[in-house]
Structure formats: C-alpha cells, structure tokens
Coordinates of all heavy atoms in Angstrom, one line a residue:
M51 N 146.7 15.8 -170.8 CA 147.9 15.3 -171.4 C 148.8 14.7 -170.3 O 149.0 15.4 -169.3 CB 148.6 16.4 -172.2 CG 149.9 15.9 -172.8 SD 150.7 17.3 -173.7 CE 151.2 16.4 -175.1
V52 N 149.3 13.6 -170.5 CA 150.1 12.9 -169.5 C 151.3 13.7 -169.1 O 151.6 13.9 -167.9 CB 150.5 11.4 -169.9 CG1 151.4 10.8 -168.9 CG2 149.2 10.6 -170.0
W53 N 152.1 14.2 -170.1 CA 153.3 14.8 -169.8 C 153.1 16.1 -169.0 O 153.9 16.3 -168.1 CB 154.1 15.2 -171.1 CG 155.4 15.7 -171.0 CD1 155.9 16.9 -171.4 CD2 156.5 15.1 -170.3 NE1 157.2 17.0 -171.0 CE2 157.6 15.9 -170.4 CE3 156.7 13.8 -169.6 CZ2 158.9 15.6 -169.8 CZ3 157.9 13.5 -169.1 CH2 159.0 14.4 -169.2
S54 N 152.1 16.9 -169.3 CA 151.9 18.1 -168.5 C 151.5 17.8 -167.1 O 151.9 18.4 -166.2 CB 150.9 19.0 -169.2 OG 149.6 18.4 -169.4
S55 N 150.7 16.7 -166.9 CA 150.4 16.2 -165.6 C 151.6 15.8 -164.8 O 151.7 16.0 -163.6 CB 149.4 15.1 -165.7 OG 148.2 15.5 -166.2
V56 N 152.5 15.1 -165.5 CA 153.7 14.6 -164.9 C 154.6 15.8 -164.4 O 155.1 15.9 -163.3 CB 154.5 13.7 -165.8 CG1 155.9 13.4 -165.3 CG2 153.8 12.4 -166.0
L57 N 154.7 16.8 -165.3 CA 155.5 18.0 -165.0 C 154.9 18.7 -163.8 O 155.6 19.2 -163.0 CB 155.7 18.9 -166.2 CG 156.4 18.3 -167.4 CD1 156.5 19.3 -168.5 CD2 157.8 17.8 -167.0
D58 N 153.6 18.8 -163.8 CA 152.9 19.4 -162.7 C 153.1 18.7 -161.4 O 153.1 19.3 -160.3 CB 151.4 19.6 -163.0 CG 151.1 20.6 -164.0 OD1 152.0 21.5 -164.3 OD2 150.0 20.6 -164.6
G59 N 153.3 17.4 -161.5 CA 153.4 16.5 -160.3 C 154.8 16.5 -159.7 O 155.0 15.9 -158.7
I60 N 155.8 17.1 -160.4 CA 157.1 17.2 -159.8 C 157.1 18.1 -158.6 O 156.6 19.2 -158.7 CB 158.1 17.6 -160.9 CG1 158.2 16.5 -162.0 CG2 159.5 17.9 -160.3 CD1 159.2 16.8 -163.1
D61 N 157.7 17.6 -157.6 CA 157.7 18.3 -156.3 C 158.5 19.6 -156.4 O 159.7 19.6 -156.6 CB 158.4 17.4 -155.2 CG 158.3 18.0 -153.8 OD1 157.7 19.1 -153.6 OD2 158.9 17.4 -152.9
N62 N 157.8 20.7 -156.2 CA 158.5 22.0 -156.3 C 159.5 22.2 -155.3 O 160.5 22.9 -155.5 CB 157.4 23.1 -156.2 CG 156.6 23.3 -157.5 OD1 157.0 23.0 -158.5 ND2 155.3 23.7 -157.3
D63 N 159.3 21.6 -154.1 CA 160.3 21.8 -153.0 C 161.6 21.0 -153.3 O 162.7 21.4 -152.9 CB 159.7 21.3 -151.7 CG 158.5 22.2 -151.3 OD1 158.5 23.4 -151.6 OD2 157.6 21.7 -150.6
A64 N 161.5 19.9 -154.0 CA 162.6 19.0 -154.3 C 163.4 19.5 -155.5 O 164.6 19.1 -155.7 CB 162.2 17.6 -154.5
L65 N 162.8 20.3 -156.3 CA 163.4 20.8 -157.5 C 163.4 22.3 -157.6 O 162.4 22.9 -157.7 CB 162.7 20.2 -158.7 CG 163.4 20.2 -160.0 CD1 164.6 19.3 -160.0 CD2 162.4 19.6 -161.1
P66 N 164.6 22.9 -157.5 CA 164.7 24.4 -157.5 C 164.1 24.9 -158.9 O 164.2 24.3 -159.9 CB 166.1 24.7 -157.4 CG 166.8 23.4 -156.9 CD 165.9 22.3 -157.3
A67 N 163.7 26.2 -158.8 CA 163.1 26.8 -160.0 C 164.1 26.8 -161.2 O 163.7 26.6 -162.3 CB 162.7 28.3 -159.7
H68 N 165.4 27.0 -160.9 CA 166.4 27.1 -162.0 C 166.5 25.7 -162.7 O 166.9 25.7 -163.9 CB 167.7 27.6 -161.6 CG 168.5 26.7 -160.7 ND1 168.2 26.7 -159.3 CD2 169.5 25.8 -160.9 CE1 169.1 25.8 -158.8 NE2 169.8 25.3 -159.7
Q69 N 166.2 24.6 -162.0 CA 166.2 23.3 -162.6 C 164.9 23.0 -163.3 O 164.8 22.4 -164.4 CB 166.5 22.3 -161.6 CG 168.0 22.3 -161.2 CD 168.4 21.2 -160.2 OE1 167.5 20.4 -159.7 NE2 169.6 21.2 -159.9
R70 N 163.8 23.5 -162.7 CA 162.5 23.3 -163.3 C 162.4 24.0 -164.7 O 161.6 23.6 -165.6 CB 161.4 23.8 -162.4 CG 161.1 23.0 -161.2 CD 159.9 23.5 -160.4 NE 158.7 23.4 -161.1 CZ 157.9 22.4 -161.3 NH1 158.3 21.3 -160.7 NH2 156.8 22.4 -161.9
A71 N 163.2 25.1 -164.9 CA 163.1 25.8 -166.1 C 163.5 25.0 -167.3 O 163.2 25.3 -168.5 CB 164.1 27.0 -166.0
W72 N 164.2 23.9 -167.1 CA 164.6 23.0 -168.2 C 163.5 22.2 -168.7 O 163.4 21.8 -169.9 CB 165.8 22.1 -167.8 CG 167.0 22.9 -167.5 CD1 167.5 23.2 -166.3 CD2 167.9 23.4 -168.5 NE1 168.6 23.9 -166.4 CE2 168.9 24.1 -167.7 CE3 168.0 23.5 -169.8 CZ2 170.0 24.7 -168.3 CZ3 169.0 24.1 -170.5 CH2 170.0 24.7 -169.7
L73 N 162.5 21.9 -167.9 CA 161.4 20.9 -168.3 C 160.6 21.4 -169.5 O 160.2 20.5 -170.3 CB 160.6 20.6 -167.0 CG 161.3 20.0 -165.9 CD1 160.5 19.8 -164.7 CD2 161.8 18.6 -166.4
P74 N 160.2 22.7 -169.6 CA 159.4 23.0 -170.8 C 160.1 22.9 -172.1 O 159.5 22.9 -173.1 CB 159.0 24.5 -170.5 CG 159.2 24.7 -169.1 CD 160.3 23.7 -168.6
Q75 N 161.4 22.7 -172.0 CA 162.2 22.5 -173.3 C 162.2 21.0 -173.7 O 162.9 20.7 -174.7 CB 163.6 22.9 -173.1 CG 163.7 24.4 -172.8 CD 165.2 24.8 -172.7 OE1 166.0 24.4 -173.4 NE2 165.5 25.7 -171.7
T76 N 161.4 20.2 -173.0 CA 161.4 18.8 -173.4 C 160.1 18.3 -174.0 O 159.1 19.1 -173.9 CB 161.6 17.9 -172.1 OG1 160.5 18.1 -171.2 CG2 162.9 18.2 -171.4
R77 N 160.1 17.2 -174.6 CA 158.9 16.6 -175.2 C 159.0 15.1 -175.1 O 160.0 14.5 -175.4 CB 158.8 17.0 -176.7 CG 157.6 16.5 -177.4 CD 157.5 17.1 -178.8 NE 158.6 16.9 -179.7 CZ 158.7 15.9 -180.6 NH1 157.7 15.1 -180.7 NH2 159.8 15.7 -181.3
P78 N 157.9 14.5 -174.7 CA 157.9 13.0 -174.6 C 157.8 12.4 -176.0 O 157.0 12.9 -176.8 CB 156.7 12.7 -173.7 CG 155.7 13.9 -174.0 CD 156.6 15.1 -174.2
L79 N 158.5 11.4 -176.2 CA 158.5 10.7 -177.5 C 157.7 9.4 -177.5 O 157.1 9.0 -178.4 CB 159.9 10.5 -178.1 CG 160.7 11.7 -178.4 CD1 162.1 11.3 -178.9 CD2 160.0 12.6 -179.4
G80 N 157.7 8.8 -176.3 CA 157.0 7.5 -176.2 C 157.4 6.8 -174.9 O 158.3 7.2 -174.2
L81 N 156.7 5.7 -174.7 CA 156.9 4.8 -173.6 C 157.2 3.4 -174.1 O 156.3 2.9 -174.8 CB 155.7 4.8 -172.6 CG 155.9 4.0 -171.3 CD1 157.0 4.7 -170.4 CD2 154.6 4.0 -170.5
I82 N 158.4 2.9 -173.9 CA 158.7 1.6 -174.4 C 158.9 0.7 -173.2 O 159.9 0.9 -172.4 CB 160.0 1.6 -175.3 CG1 159.8 2.6 -176.4 CG2 160.4 0.3 -175.8 CD1 161.1 3.2 -177.0
E83 N 158.0 -0.2 -172.9 CA 157.9 -1.0 -171.7 C 158.0 -0.1 -170.5 O 157.0 0.7 -170.3 CB 159.0 -2.1 -171.8 CG 158.8 -3.1 -172.9 CD 159.7 -4.3 -172.8 OE1 160.3 -4.5 -171.8 OE2 159.7 -5.0 -173.8
D84 N 159.0 -0.1 -169.8 CA 159.1 0.7 -168.6 C 160.1 1.9 -168.7 O 160.7 2.4 -167.7 CB 159.5 -0.1 -167.3 CG 158.4 -1.1 -167.0 OD1 157.2 -0.8 -167.2 OD2 158.7 -2.1 -166.4
T85 N 160.4 2.3 -169.9 CA 161.3 3.4 -170.2 C 160.6 4.5 -171.0 O 160.0 4.2 -172.1 CB 162.5 2.9 -171.0 OG1 163.2 1.9 -170.2 CG2 163.5 4.0 -171.2
A86 N 160.6 5.7 -170.4 CA 160.1 6.9 -171.1 C 161.2 7.5 -171.9 O 162.3 7.8 -171.4 CB 159.5 7.9 -170.1
L87 N 160.9 7.8 -173.2 CA 161.9 8.4 -174.1 C 161.5 9.9 -174.2 O 160.4 10.2 -174.6 CB 161.9 7.8 -175.5 CG 162.9 8.3 -176.4 CD1 164.4 8.3 -175.9 CD2 162.8 7.6 -177.8
I88 N 162.4 10.8 -173.8 CA 162.2 12.2 -173.8 C 163.1 12.9 -174.7 O 164.3 12.6 -174.7 CB 162.3 12.7 -172.3 CG1 161.3 12.0 -171.4 CG2 162.1 14.2 -172.3 CD1 161.5 12.3 -170.0
A89 N 162.6 13.8 -175.5 CA 163.5 14.6 -176.4 C 163.9 15.9 -175.7 O 163.1 16.6 -175.1 CB 162.7 14.9 -177.7
A90 N 165.2 16.2 -175.9 CA 165.7 17.5 -175.5 C 166.2 18.2 -176.7 O 166.7 17.6 -177.7 CB 166.9 17.3 -174.5
P91 N 166.2 19.6 -176.7 CA 166.5 20.3 -177.9 C 168.0 20.4 -178.2 O 168.4 20.7 -179.3 CB 166.0 21.7 -177.6 CG 166.0 21.8 -176.2 CD 165.7 20.4 -175.7
N92 N 168.9 20.0 -177.2 CA 170.3 20.1 -177.5 C 171.1 19.2 -176.5 O 170.5 18.7 -175.5 CB 170.9 21.5 -177.4 CG 170.5 22.2 -176.2 OD1 170.7 21.7 -175.1 ND2 169.8 23.4 -176.3
E93 N 172.4 19.0 -176.7 CA 173.2 18.1 -175.9 C 173.3 18.6 -174.4 O 173.2 17.9 -173.5 CB 174.5 18.0 -176.5 CG 175.4 16.9 -175.9 CD 174.8 15.5 -176.1 OE1 174.2 15.2 -177.2 OE2 174.9 14.6 -175.2
F94 N 173.3 20.0 -174.2 CA 173.5 20.5 -172.9 C 172.2 20.2 -172.1 O 172.3 19.8 -170.9 CB 173.7 22.0 -173.0 CG 173.9 22.6 -171.6 CD1 175.2 22.5 -171.0 CD2 172.9 23.3 -171.0 CE1 175.4 23.1 -169.8 CE2 173.1 23.8 -169.7 CZ 174.4 23.7 -169.1
T95 N 171.0 20.4 -172.7 CA 169.8 20.1 -172.0 C 169.7 18.6 -171.7 O 169.2 18.3 -170.6 CB 168.6 20.6 -172.8 OG1 168.7 22.0 -173.1 CG2 167.3 20.4 -172.1
K96 N 170.1 17.8 -172.6 CA 170.1 16.4 -172.4 C 170.9 16.0 -171.1 O 170.5 15.2 -170.3 CB 170.7 15.7 -173.6 CG 170.8 14.1 -173.4 CD 171.4 13.5 -174.7 CE 171.3 12.0 -174.6 NZ 172.6 11.4 -174.4
K97 N 172.1 16.6 -171.0 CA 173.0 16.3 -169.9 C 172.4 16.8 -168.6 O 172.5 16.1 -167.5 CB 174.4 16.9 -170.1 CG 175.2 16.2 -171.2 CD 176.6 16.7 -171.2 CE 177.4 16.1 -172.3 NZ 177.4 14.6 -172.3
V98 N 171.7 17.9 -168.6 CA 171.0 18.4 -167.4 C 169.9 17.5 -167.0 O 169.8 17.1 -165.8 CB 170.5 19.8 -167.6 CG1 169.6 20.3 -166.4 CG2 171.6 20.8 -167.8
L99 N 169.1 17.0 -167.9 CA 168.0 16.1 -167.7 C 168.6 14.8 -167.1 O 168.1 14.2 -166.1 CB 167.2 15.8 -168.9 CG 166.4 17.0 -169.5 CD1 165.8 16.6 -170.8 CD2 165.3 17.4 -168.5
E100 N 169.6 14.2 -167.7 CA 170.2 13.0 -167.3 C 170.9 13.0 -165.9 O 170.8 12.1 -165.1 CB 171.2 12.4 -168.3 CG 170.5 12.0 -169.6 CD 171.5 11.6 -170.7 OE1 172.6 12.1 -170.6 OE2 171.1 10.8 -171.5
S101 N 171.5 14.2 -165.6 CA 172.2 14.2 -164.3 C 171.4 14.8 -163.2 O 171.3 14.2 -162.1 CB 173.5 15.0 -164.5 OG 173.2 16.4 -164.9
R102 N 170.8 15.9 -163.4 CA 170.1 16.6 -162.3 C 168.6 16.3 -162.1 O 168.1 16.3 -161.0 CB 170.3 18.1 -162.4 CG 171.8 18.5 -162.3 CD 171.9 20.0 -162.3 NE 173.3 20.4 -162.3 CZ 173.8 21.2 -163.2 NH1 173.0 21.9 -164.1 NH2 175.1 21.5 -163.2
L103 N 168.0 16.1 -163.3 CA 166.5 16.0 -163.2 C 166.0 14.6 -163.3 O 164.8 14.4 -163.1 CB 165.9 16.9 -164.4 CG 166.3 18.3 -164.3 CD1 165.7 19.1 -165.5 CD2 166.0 19.0 -163.0
Y104 N 166.9 13.7 -163.6 CA 166.4 12.3 -163.8 C 165.6 11.8 -162.6 O 164.5 11.2 -162.9 CB 167.7 11.4 -164.1 CG 167.3 9.9 -164.3 CD1 167.1 9.4 -165.5 CD2 167.1 9.1 -163.2 CE1 166.8 8.1 -165.7 CE2 166.7 7.8 -163.4 CZ 166.6 7.3 -164.6 OH 166.2 6.0 -164.8
P105 N 166.1 11.9 -161.4 CA 165.3 11.3 -160.3 C 163.9 11.9 -160.2 O 162.9 11.2 -160.0 CB 166.1 11.7 -159.0 CG 167.5 11.9 -159.5 CD 167.3 12.5 -160.9
A106 N 163.8 13.2 -160.3 CA 162.5 13.9 -160.2 C 161.5 13.5 -161.3 O 160.3 13.2 -161.1 CB 162.6 15.4 -160.2
I107 N 162.1 13.4 -162.6 CA 161.2 13.0 -163.7 C 160.8 11.5 -163.5 O 159.6 11.2 -163.7 CB 162.0 13.2 -165.0 CG1 162.2 14.7 -165.3 CG2 161.2 12.6 -166.2 CD1 163.2 15.0 -166.4
S108 N 161.7 10.7 -163.2 CA 161.4 9.2 -163.0 C 160.4 9.0 -161.9 O 159.4 8.3 -162.1 CB 162.7 8.5 -162.7 OG 162.4 7.1 -162.5
K109 N 160.6 9.7 -160.8 CA 159.6 9.6 -159.7 C 158.2 10.1 -160.1 O 157.2 9.4 -159.8 CB 160.1 10.4 -158.5 CG 159.3 10.3 -157.2 CD 159.9 11.1 -156.1 CE 159.0 11.1 -154.9 NZ 159.5 11.9 -153.8
A110 N 158.1 11.2 -160.8 CA 156.8 11.7 -161.2 C 156.2 10.8 -162.2 O 154.9 10.5 -162.1 CB 157.0 13.1 -161.7
L111 N 156.9 10.3 -163.2 CA 156.3 9.4 -164.1 C 155.9 8.1 -163.5 O 154.8 7.6 -163.8 CB 157.4 9.0 -165.2 CG 157.5 10.0 -166.3 CD1 158.8 9.8 -167.2 CD2 156.3 10.0 -167.3
S112 N 156.7 7.6 -162.6 CA 156.3 6.3 -161.9 C 155.1 6.5 -161.0 O 154.2 5.6 -161.1 CB 157.5 5.9 -160.9 OG 158.7 5.6 -161.7
A113 N 154.9 7.6 -160.4 CA 153.7 7.9 -159.6 C 152.5 8.0 -160.5 O 151.4 7.5 -160.1 CB 153.9 9.2 -158.7
H114 N 152.7 8.7 -161.6 CA 151.5 8.9 -162.5 C 151.1 7.6 -163.2 O 149.9 7.4 -163.3 CB 151.9 9.9 -163.6 CG 150.8 10.4 -164.4 ND1 149.9 11.3 -164.0 CD2 150.4 10.0 -165.6 CE1 148.9 11.5 -164.9 NE2 149.2 10.7 -165.9
L115 N 152.0 6.8 -163.5 CA 151.7 5.5 -164.3 C 151.5 4.3 -163.4 O 151.1 3.3 -163.8 CB 152.8 5.3 -165.3 CG 152.9 6.3 -166.4 CD1 154.0 6.1 -167.3 CD2 151.6 6.4 -167.2
G116 N 151.9 4.5 -162.1 CA 151.7 3.4 -161.1 C 152.7 2.2 -161.2 O 152.4 1.1 -160.8
R117 N 153.8 2.5 -161.8 CA 154.9 1.5 -161.9 C 156.2 2.2 -162.1 O 156.2 3.3 -162.4 CB 154.6 0.5 -163.0 CG 154.7 1.0 -164.4 CD 154.4 -0.1 -165.4 NE 154.7 0.3 -166.8 CZ 153.9 0.9 -167.7 NH1 152.7 1.2 -167.3 NH2 154.3 1.1 -168.9
E118 N 157.3 1.5 -161.8 CA 158.6 2.0 -161.9 C 158.9 2.4 -163.4 O 158.9 1.5 -164.2 CB 159.6 1.1 -161.3 CG 161.0 1.7 -161.1 CD 161.1 2.7 -160.0 OE1 160.3 2.6 -159.1 OE2 161.9 3.6 -160.1
I119 N 159.3 3.6 -163.6 CA 159.6 4.1 -165.0 C 161.0 4.6 -165.0 O 161.4 5.5 -164.2 CB 158.6 5.2 -165.4 CG1 157.2 4.7 -165.4 CG2 159.0 5.7 -166.8 CD1 156.9 3.5 -166.4
R120 N 161.8 4.2 -166.0 CA 163.1 4.7 -166.2 C 163.0 5.8 -167.3 O 162.0 5.9 -168.0 CB 164.1 3.6 -166.7 CG 164.4 2.6 -165.6 CD 165.4 1.6 -166.1 NE 164.9 0.9 -167.3 CZ 164.2 -0.2 -167.4 NH1 163.8 -0.7 -166.3 NH2 163.8 -0.7 -168.5
V121 N 164.0 6.6 -167.4 CA 164.0 7.7 -168.3 C 165.2 7.6 -169.2 O 166.3 7.5 -168.8 CB 164.0 9.1 -167.6 CG1 164.0 10.3 -168.6 CG2 162.7 9.2 -166.7
A122 N 165.0 7.8 -170.6 CA 166.0 7.9 -171.5 C 165.8 9.2 -172.3 O 164.7 9.6 -172.6 CB 166.0 6.7 -172.5
V123 N 166.9 9.9 -172.5 CA 166.9 11.2 -173.2 C 167.6 11.2 -174.5 O 168.7 10.6 -174.5 CB 167.4 12.3 -172.2 CG1 167.2 13.7 -172.9 CG2 166.8 12.3 -170.9
T124 N 167.0 11.8 -175.5 CA 167.7 11.9 -176.8 C 167.7 13.3 -177.2 O 166.8 14.1 -176.7 CB 167.0 11.0 -177.8 OG1 167.7 11.0 -179.0 CG2 165.5 11.5 -178.1
V125 N 168.5 13.7 -178.1 CA 168.6 15.1 -178.6 C 167.8 15.1 -179.9 O 167.9 14.3 -180.8 CB 170.0 15.5 -178.9 CG1 170.0 16.9 -179.6 CG2 170.8 15.5 -177.6
D126 N 166.8 16.1 -179.9 CA 166.0 16.4 -181.1 C 165.8 17.9 -181.2 O 165.1 18.4 -180.4 CB 164.7 15.7 -181.0 CG 163.8 15.9 -182.2 OD1 164.2 16.7 -183.1 OD2 162.6 15.4 -182.2
P127 N 166.6 18.6 -182.1 CA 166.5 20.0 -182.2 C 165.1 20.5 -182.4 O 164.8 21.7 -182.1 CB 167.4 20.4 -183.3 CG 168.3 19.2 -183.4 CD 167.6 18.0 -183.0
T128 N 164.2 19.7 -182.9 CA 162.8 20.1 -183.2 C 161.9 19.8 -182.0 O 160.7 19.9 -182.1 CB 162.3 19.5 -184.5 OG1 162.2 18.1 -184.3 CG2 163.1 19.8 -185.7
A129 N 162.5 19.4 -180.9 CA 161.7 18.9 -179.7 C 160.7 20.0 -179.2 O 159.6 19.7 -178.9 CB 162.6 18.5 -178.6
V130 N 161.2 21.2 -179.2 CA 160.3 22.3 -178.8 C 160.3 23.3 -179.9 O 161.3 23.8 -180.4 CB 160.9 23.0 -177.5 CG1 160.1 24.2 -177.1 CG2 161.0 22.0 -176.4
P131 N 159.1 23.7 -180.4 CA 159.0 24.6 -181.5 C 159.6 26.0 -181.1 O 159.4 26.4 -180.0 CB 157.5 24.7 -181.7 CG 156.8 24.0 -180.6 CD 157.8 23.2 -179.8
T132 N 160.3 26.6 -182.0 CA 160.8 27.9 -181.8 C 159.7 28.9 -181.9 O 158.9 28.9 -182.8 CB 161.9 28.2 -182.9 OG1 162.8 27.1 -182.9 CG2 162.6 29.5 -182.6
P133 N 159.6 29.8 -180.9 CA 158.6 30.8 -181.0 C 158.8 31.7 -182.2 O 159.9 32.0 -182.6 CB 158.8 31.7 -179.7 CG 160.1 31.3 -179.2 CD 160.5 30.0 -179.8
P134 N 157.7 32.2 -182.8 CA 157.8 33.1 -184.0 C 158.6 34.4 -183.6 O 158.5 34.8 -182.4 CB 156.4 33.4 -184.4 CG 155.6 33.1 -183.2 CD 156.3 32.1 -182.4
P135 N 159.3 35.0 -184.5 CA 160.0 36.2 -184.2 C 159.0 37.3 -183.9 O 157.9 37.3 -184.4 CB 160.7 36.5 -185.5 CG 160.1 35.7 -186.6 CD 159.4 34.5 -185.9
T136 N 159.4 38.2 -183.0 CA 158.5 39.3 -182.6 C 158.6 40.4 -183.7 O 159.7 40.7 -184.1 CB 159.0 39.9 -181.2 OG1 160.3 39.6 -181.0 CG2 158.2 39.4 -180.1
P137 N 157.5 40.9 -184.0 CA 157.5 42.0 -185.0 C 158.2 43.2 -184.5 O 158.1 43.5 -183.3 CB 156.0 42.2 -185.3 CG 155.2 41.5 -184.3 CD 156.2 40.6 -183.6
T138 N 158.9 43.8 -185.4 CA 159.6 45.1 -185.0 C 158.9 46.2 -185.7 O 158.3 46.1 -186.7 CB 161.1 45.0 -185.4 OG1 161.2 44.8 -186.8 CG2 161.8 43.9 -184.6
S139 N 159.1 47.4 -185.0 CA 158.5 48.6 -185.7 C 159.4 49.0 -186.9 O 160.5 48.7 -186.9 CB 158.4 49.7 -184.7 OG 159.7 50.1 -184.2
P140 N 158.8 49.6 -187.9 CA 159.5 49.9 -189.1 C 160.8 50.7 -188.8 O 161.8 50.6 -189.5 CB 158.5 50.6 -190.0 CG 157.2 50.3 -189.4 CD 157.4 49.9 -188.0
G141 N 160.8 51.6 -187.8 CA 161.9 52.5 -187.6 C 163.0 51.9 -186.8 O 164.0 52.4 -186.6
S142 N 162.8 50.6 -186.3 CA 163.8 50.1 -185.4 C 165.1 49.6 -186.0 O 166.0 49.4 -185.4 CB 163.2 48.9 -184.6 OG 162.8 47.8 -185.5
Y143 N 165.1 49.4 -187.3 CA 166.3 49.0 -188.0 C 166.6 49.8 -189.2 O 167.1 49.3 -190.2 CB 166.3 47.5 -188.3 CG 165.0 47.0 -189.1 CD1 164.9 47.1 -190.4 CD2 164.0 46.5 -188.4 CE1 163.8 46.7 -191.1 CE2 162.9 46.0 -189.1 CZ 162.8 46.1 -190.4 OH 161.7 45.7 -191.1
G144 N 166.4 51.0 -189.1 CA 166.8 52.0 -190.2 C 165.7 52.1 -191.3 O 166.0 52.8 -192.3
G145 N 164.6 51.5 -191.2 CA 163.5 51.6 -192.2 C 162.8 53.0 -192.0 O 163.1 53.7 -191.1
P146 N 161.9 53.3 -192.9 CA 161.2 54.5 -192.8 C 160.3 54.5 -191.5 O 159.8 53.5 -191.1 CB 160.3 54.6 -194.1 CG 160.3 53.2 -194.7 CD 161.5 52.5 -194.1
G147 N 160.2 55.6 -191.0 CA 159.3 55.7 -189.8 C 159.7 56.6 -188.9 O 159.7 57.0 -187.9

C-alpha cells in the first residue's frame, strides 16, 4: 500500500516520535494531479498535519511518487476506525461476579 510505504519512508531523525504519533490517525483520500488529499479525524489533528508535519509528508510522498507533491488536509471523523470497546469482566461495574 502506498500510504504505509510513504509513512515508513518519513525520516525518523527529522520527525520526533511525538509528531510521528499523529500519522496513524490519517487516511489518504486520493491524489488529484500533484496534490495528495489526506483525511484527519478532527480539526486539531488537521492543524498539526498542516503546520508541523506538512514538510515531512510532502517530501516522503514526492520521493515515493517521483514528482513534487503538495498536501491538502480535510477533516473526516471516520478517517480512522474507532477500535472496538474492550470487554470488561462482569464484576467490574457492579454486575454479578
């Protein structure tokens, strides 16, 4: 998959771990000419991508696709599936057990 290869190609030294943590919350929506459209789950993540991560994402996409790629970010709350709730034991909330 192109997106996972691009994320793997982002320079770990140039991007601190606390900034890399935002990347799994994104999903590529498409490539329109030389602009990659990326979905973020909320406005805060969108702002982080546009301000702090834009250069790294653009550079990695450009290297992977062999041409200069710009990045546009949109908010899509369904961008990343919510993990299923963890089962709780019956006695953990006052049930029998």
Side-chain angles (χ1 to χ4, degrees):
M51 174 180 227
V52 172
W53 187 238
S54 59
S55 296
V56 168
L57 295 182
D58 290 343
I60 292 178
D61 184 6
N62 287 331
D63 295 330
L65 198 60
H68 70 277
Q69 290 183 354
R70 287 184 66 80
W72 295 101
L73 296 173
Q75 297 184 39
T76 63
R77 180 173 56 99
L79 296 178
L81 185 64
I82 304 158
E83 295 189 15
D84 292 333
T85 301
L87 181 59
I88 299 170
N92 53 54
E93 193 65 36
F94 185 78
T95 304
K96 177 182 186 250
K97 288 191 184 306
V98 170
L99 292 172
E100 291 175 333
S101 61
R102 296 186 187 129
L103 304 180
Y104 181 95
I107 295 170
S108 178
K109 182 179 176 181
L111 278 167
S112 297
H114 189 81
L115 297 174
R117 65 183 195 270
E118 192 68 29
I119 301 294
R120 292 182 304 272
V121 177
V123 185
T124 188
V125 174
D126 179 0
T128 64
V130 176
T132 308
T136 24
T138 56
S139 63
S142 64
Y143 51 83

